[in-house]
Amino acid sequence: MNKQKSIFIIISILVIINLTSMWLFYNQNTQGRPVGPRDMIVKVLQLDEQQITDYDKLITEHKDAFRVANLKITKLRSSYFTSSNDSVINLLVDAYIEIEKINKNHINDILAICDPSQKKSFKDLIKENDLFRKNKKTKKYEN
């Protein structure tokens, strides 16, 4: 075997090992566990099919409203950092307040589709896991 062929075989084996490791790691970390807040809320609150449908609609509406508000903040921040006056800061503060209102309304909308026992469970879930902090992994309800 020449040198080129052996290097090609070694690299091929390493690529296969690497891809297999990534696949195993991904499957090990996702099997049997809620993937995000949506799946965890559905599981913990034991939502029925109609509630899941309503909840999915609420998620879509929340994401759309959040995306619009976040885009507004991005534009305001850009103009704030490139302008010489600080008048944009008040608009930025208002935009951040709007995001918090969007989140609060989303919580209220979720509570509206819950029965009384689910409402209590949802409030407990929010307190225990801080569901609305970005990129925070929840631990209590993972299997």
Side-chain angles (χ1 to χ4, degrees):
M1 243 185 341
N2 64 18
K3 188 175 181 178
Q4 261 187 335
K5 204 172 196 179
S6 21
I7 290 175
F8 178 76
I9 291 172
I10 290 171
I11 290 174
S12 298
I13 290 171
L14 289 173
V15 167
I16 291 170
I17 290 171
N18 193 18
L19 291 173
T20 304
S21 297
M22 289 187 321
W23 181 80
L24 288 172
F25 179 76
Y26 174 77
N27 280 340
Q28 179 184 14
N29 286 332
T30 59
Q31 287 179 339
R33 278 195 249 174
V35 174
R38 183 230 181 250
D39 295 332
M40 185 176 57
I41 288 170
V42 168
K43 180 181 175 184
V44 171
L45 300 183
Q46 299 174 355
L47 299 178
D48 63 32
E49 290 302 317
Q50 183 58 47
Q51 287 174 314
I52 292 172
T53 302
D54 294 343
Y55 180 47
D56 287 338
K57 183 179 175 191
L58 292 175
I59 290 171
T60 302
E61 292 169 356
H62 178 257
K63 284 181 179 179
D64 291 344
F66 194 86
R67 195 172 294 118
V68 169
N70 207 26
L71 182 61
K72 181 178 178 180
I73 286 174
T74 302
K75 289 178 181 177
L76 286 170
R77 286 186 76 200
S78 176
S79 65
Y80 174 67
F81 291 127
T82 57
S83 73
S84 59
N85 87 34
D86 290 342
S87 63
V88 180
I89 193 85
N90 292 330
L91 296 173
L92 258 173
V93 169
D94 291 342
Y96 280 109
I97 290 170
E98 183 62 29
I99 281 186
E100 292 307 317
K101 287 179 181 179
I102 289 168
N103 286 334
K104 177 63 173 151
N105 289 338
H106 184 58
I107 292 170
N108 291 339
D109 292 341
I110 294 170
L111 287 169
I113 65 170
C114 293
D115 65 34
S117 67
Q118 290 171 328
K119 287 179 183 181
K120 182 182 179 333
S121 296
F122 183 60
K123 288 177 182 179
D124 292 342
L125 191 62
I126 291 171
K127 288 177 191 171
E128 293 170 7
N129 290 291
D130 196 10
L131 291 179
F132 295 97
R133 184 186 306 172
K134 195 172 190 174
N135 296 329
K136 179 168 181 174
K137 293 191 178 201
T138 55
K139 294 180 181 174
K140 182 173 181 181
Y141 297 98
E142 290 183 349
N143 290 337

